[in-house]
Amino acid sequence: MKSKDEIDEAERQIRTVQQVVDYTVREYPVEVLVEKHLTGKLEGENEIFVPDYQRDLIWEDKRQSKFIESLLIGLPVPYLFVADVGNEDPDLEGRLEIVDGTQRIRTLARFLTGELVLEGMEKLPGLNGFRFGDMLASRQRRFGRITLRLIELTEKADEETRRDMFDRINTGPVRLNDMESRRGRMPGPFVDLVREVARQEAFKTLAPLSKAAEKRFEREELAARFFAYMDDYTTYGQTESGKVVSLFVDDYAKRMNAAMEQEGPGGPTETRLRAAWDDMLRLVSEILPNGFRKSPSAKSTPRVRFEAIAVGIALAMREDSSLPGAWDLVGHLSKPKFRELTTSDAANNRNRVTGRIEYVRDRLLGR
């Protein structure tokens, strides 16, 4: 049985948060919603805009077409969430940040501008191959008048509240992956550094990825894991936050954000991490003809292979920069032991994680 003080404190917390998450419900016709999103977009002045913590358009054309089909046949669709952010930046006065719904708004924009060609329609197969302009003019007008409901957070909802909501309500069929969620929940200098190094052309060349993986920030996930394992891999699986990779990396990102904020731009932590990343990529380009790929024809980079090679190299260079076994590494990466440590089955088991990292490290050191 809870005491009266505990109950009163719980109620106080609920009331406090409720006051922050203040909102109104609005309805906009599709054509107005798209206009508010597209007008002034190139200049960064569109009324309804996508914030930098949101993900790119990752719905494939078939999924986008399904959404359009749902609207055409009158099926209900989820609410969109937007937020008035003018209280934080005068330049954003009167504009609305999309908290949840970027895939739907972007899909509508692509359809109304004629970019999206409908495909995979099951209820309306006769529309497959159609663009918006191919429909009867009367149907175009009716589609433009379809209304969507928006929950608009007022200016009382601060950035932390919006980012928290972004993380909580993204529970649809296409779930946020770890890096997408991390970008939204914990912005800071470390996450910015991860974003920057992930864009390097050398990294893209050495670690090719599919277009779908690129869109979902897989490069940033690889970079974040590299830094976390390089510094703390020995604690993985031994602490509460270290039992799950996403929590392990989250914990590291929080600590690095705090350290780098305190030190300021170009501080010792940032300098150390940049150097380790650059030195690692340089060595990979010198000694591994295929980069992080399994073969010259491979078009993707497995996480476990990247982690083993990248982190193993960083740890070896930290211990002995001469790396006596560097030129033998290619042969070691083709041996059964390495393949066993980098198979997908139980790949994130603590013994597998530490085993594959130390395997590369020790081979480079000639052990």
Side-chain angles (χ1 to χ4, degrees):
M1 187 70 177
K2 296 297 183 183
S3 68
K4 184 178 183 305
D5 288 343
E6 289 176 319
I7 294 173
D8 288 344
E9 173 60 18
E11 182 62 21
R12 184 195 65 77
Q13 291 179 11
I14 293 172
R15 291 179 181 276
T16 298
V17 175
Q18 281 181 329
Q19 290 171 357
V20 173
V21 189
D22 187 39
Y23 67 90
T24 58
V25 178
R26 303 187 186 279
E27 286 192 19
Y28 284 121
V30 164
E31 59 187 5
V32 173
L33 188 62
V34 171
E35 180 183 7
K36 288 177 178 294
H37 173 58
L38 292 181
T39 303
K41 182 179 179 181
L42 294 178
E43 298 77 22
E45 298 176 352
N46 49 335
E47 182 177 344
I48 298 179
F49 70 97
V50 179
D52 60 3
Y53 64 82
Q54 287 276 19
R55 55 188 173 183
D56 292 334
L57 178 61
I58 61 170
W59 281 5
E60 69 282 3
D61 286 356
K62 185 175 181 180
R63 181 170 173 77
Q64 293 179 51
S65 299
K66 286 287 189 181
F67 175 64
I68 299 300
E69 185 179 47
S70 295
L71 293 176
L72 285 168
I73 63 180
L75 293 179
V77 296
Y79 280 67
L80 302 169
F81 284 76
V82 296
D84 185 328
V85 294
N87 63 319
E88 297 172 14
D89 185 342
D91 293 336
L92 300 179
E93 189 66 42
R95 299 177 67 195
L96 297 172
E97 173 185 283
I98 304 171
V99 179
D100 183 67
T102 61
Q103 306 300 309
R104 283 164 280 165
I105 290 178
R106 285 164 160 164
T107 293
L108 290 170
R110 289 190 72 219
F111 185 52
L112 264 63
T113 57
E115 183 181 350
L116 176 63
V117 179
L118 298 176
E119 63 175 70
M121 308 273 271
E122 297 178 355
K123 297 292 185 181
L124 302 172
L127 285 176
N128 286 326
F130 271 56
R131 297 178 189 270
F132 180 68
D134 296 326
M135 297 192 300
L136 286 174
S138 57
R139 179 55 56 193
Q140 294 178 41
R141 289 192 288 269
R142 291 188 179 105
F143 185 85
R145 292 199 299 267
I146 294 173
T147 58
L148 296 181
R149 288 191 172 186
L150 287 75
I151 291 182
E152 181 182 321
L153 303 178
T154 70
E155 63 275 11
K156 293 180 182 179
D158 58 17
E159 183 176 13
E160 180 180 355
T161 300
R162 297 196 308 276
R163 290 177 183 266
D164 180 55
M165 178 172 286
F166 169 71
D167 189 45
R168 289 172 183 268
I169 65 180
N170 245 293
T171 56
V174 182
R175 296 293 301 275
L176 287 177
N177 63 28
D178 295 335
M179 195 64 222
E180 288 173 314
S181 178
R182 196 172 296 124
R183 284 166 61 110
R185 290 181 291 108
M186 51 182 68
F190 173 72
V191 175
D192 290 343
L193 173 63
V194 166
R195 184 182 307 177
E196 179 185 338
V197 300
R199 293 174 178 170
Q200 293 176 353
E201 289 302 318
F203 182 37
K204 294 179 181 180
T205 300
L206 295 169
L209 294 174
S210 67
K211 290 182 179 180
E214 290 273 10
K215 282 189 172 183
R216 302 206 69 180
F217 308 117
E218 176 67 6
R219 289 201 179 283
E220 295 181 28
E221 178 65 19
L222 293 178
R225 289 184 177 212
F226 166 78
F227 291 124
Y229 282 135
M230 178 185 71
D231 282 351
D232 293 338
Y233 87 98
T234 56
T235 68
Y236 175 74
Q238 295 185 328
T239 64
E240 192 61 30
S241 64
K243 293 179 180 179
V244 178
V245 177
S246 61
L247 297 180
F248 174 75
V249 179
D250 280 357
D251 180 69
Y252 179 82
K254 290 177 184 177
R255 289 186 283 112
M256 291 303 103
N257 269 339
M260 293 169 68
E261 284 176 353
Q262 184 175 15
E263 296 168 0
T269 299
E270 179 184 344
T271 300
R272 177 178 65 83
L273 296 180
R274 283 185 184 277
W277 176 264
D278 291 341
D279 289 343
M280 178 272 294
L281 287 185
R282 176 183 53 77
L283 186 66
V284 170
S285 67
E286 292 176 355
I287 67 174
L288 299 179
N290 301 327
F292 296 101
R293 296 173 295 178
K294 290 182 178 180
S295 67
S297 60
K299 297 181 180 180
S300 62
T301 303
R303 283 182 178 179
V304 290
R305 186 178 177 87
F306 171 83
E307 292 165 2
I309 296 172
V311 180
I313 285 175
L315 295 178
M317 295 181 81
R318 182 185 294 174
E319 189 170 334
D320 181 358
S321 60
S322 67
L323 302 179
W327 299 104
D328 297 324
L329 184 60
V330 172
H332 290 300
L333 296 182
S334 64
K335 292 185 177 180
K337 179 62 176 178
F338 184 71
R339 289 199 297 270
E340 177 188 345
L341 291 169
T342 54
T343 55
S344 58
D345 183 33
N348 290 322
N349 172 278
R350 170 177 162 75
N351 290 336
R352 289 284 186 86
V353 171
T354 58
R356 60 178 176 257
I357 289 172
E358 291 175 351
Y359 177 90
V360 173
R361 179 200 64 185
D362 292 347
R363 301 297 87 75
L364 287 166
L365 294 174
R367 296 172 182 168

